[in-house]
Amino acid sequence: MDQPADPSNAYDQATLNFYAGEARVYVASGKGGVCRWLDGFAQALPVGARILELGCGGGRDAEALLAHGFDVDATDGTPAMAAKAAQRLGRPVRVMRFDELSDVSSYDAVWANASLLHVPRAALADVLALIFRALKPGGLHFANYKAGGTAGRDRLGRYFNYPDRTELIAAYARSGNWDVLSVTDYIGGGYEGGQGPWLAITTRRPPA
């Protein structure tokens, strides 16, 4: 399968272009439900926790996290998608690529539902290191990835890193001194249709 033109980059421009062009249709798709892992993650957080969401898409998960009473900083790398989320949430949504994250010890949690799976493999550990740095000591991080072991593109032209369990854990180990709390294999779907293997990982920056 095709690889990003420059795998040293922390983002794939073709994938960003896809979401820019499909924002209206993408946001309107699906059943409207939030990520299956959100409620469990929310229950592990302190009251009023400050959460960074990476790749918020249309804002469904951000809306649910706000309803839980959290302070949510929703972000997306595509201006058109951020605008759709802002419309849904009734509040600003920052336009920010993952490699632009510069916060230090600022968040109680970082939520990344079906977003970091687009980071080129060569840059994944670097992006995870930025997330580690952005978390407060003891802060939690959740992400999920389409699995498979061979990076490439789907039929819509989007890049996916498709890690297997060993590769995913290794990327986290290279990026920081994470406490890996859980890694779960499951079957899930996607915008392009069909079902396939996914990995969900929950990690923690160790307490001070």
Side-chain angles (χ1 to χ4, degrees):
M1 293 184 176
D2 293 337
Q3 300 297 316
D6 182 1
S8 67
N9 286 340
Y11 62 95
D12 179 65
Q13 190 61 51
T15 302
L16 289 176
N17 292 344
F18 170 86
Y19 287 110
E22 292 289 314
R24 182 182 61 81
V25 176
Y26 186 88
V27 168
S29 70
K31 299 177 181 179
V34 300
C35 175
R36 69 179 76 183
W37 308 103
L38 186 143
D39 285 342
F41 188 77
Q43 290 169 13
L45 298 177
V47 174
R50 187 176 187 221
I51 302 173
L52 171 65
E53 182 175 13
L54 296 173
C56 70
R60 288 173 182 158
D61 287 354
E63 185 176 59
L65 291 168
L66 287 166
H68 278 281
F70 298 125
D71 176 10
V72 182
D73 181 7
T75 69
D76 199 274
T78 305
M81 199 70 77
K84 287 292 185 183
Q87 183 179 23
R88 181 185 188 118
L89 300 175
R91 56 189 291 170
V93 171
R94 280 200 292 152
V95 178
M96 183 187 75
R97 296 193 315 266
F98 309 136
D99 61 301
E100 296 173 322
L101 177 59
S102 61
D103 299 271
V104 178
S105 300
S106 298
Y107 297 99
D108 298 296
V110 176
W111 176 259
N113 173 30
S115 59
L116 297 179
L117 41 63
H118 293 308
V119 177
R121 277 195 178 194
L124 182 57
D126 291 337
V127 169
L128 294 173
L130 297 180
I131 294 172
F132 186 91
R133 185 181 68 176
L135 283 167
K136 299 175 183 178
L140 293 179
H141 163 56
F142 170 86
N144 51 351
Y145 301 79
K146 289 189 176 185
T150 303
R153 299 186 185 276
D154 68 1
R155 63 179 181 82
L156 301 175
R158 299 177 298 170
Y159 172 87
F160 288 87
N161 44 41
Y162 292 126
D164 62 26
R165 174 185 284 259
T166 299
E167 291 162 342
L168 184 60
I169 293 172
Y172 277 84
R174 291 196 304 274
S175 69
N177 185 32
W178 294 100
D179 292 332
V180 177
L181 304 181
S182 67
V183 183
T184 305
D185 297 273
Y186 68 103
I187 300 299
Y191 179 68
E192 76 281 11
Q195 298 281 307
W198 285 69
L199 286 164
I201 185 168
T202 302
T203 59
R204 178 179 64 180
R205 179 175 174 174

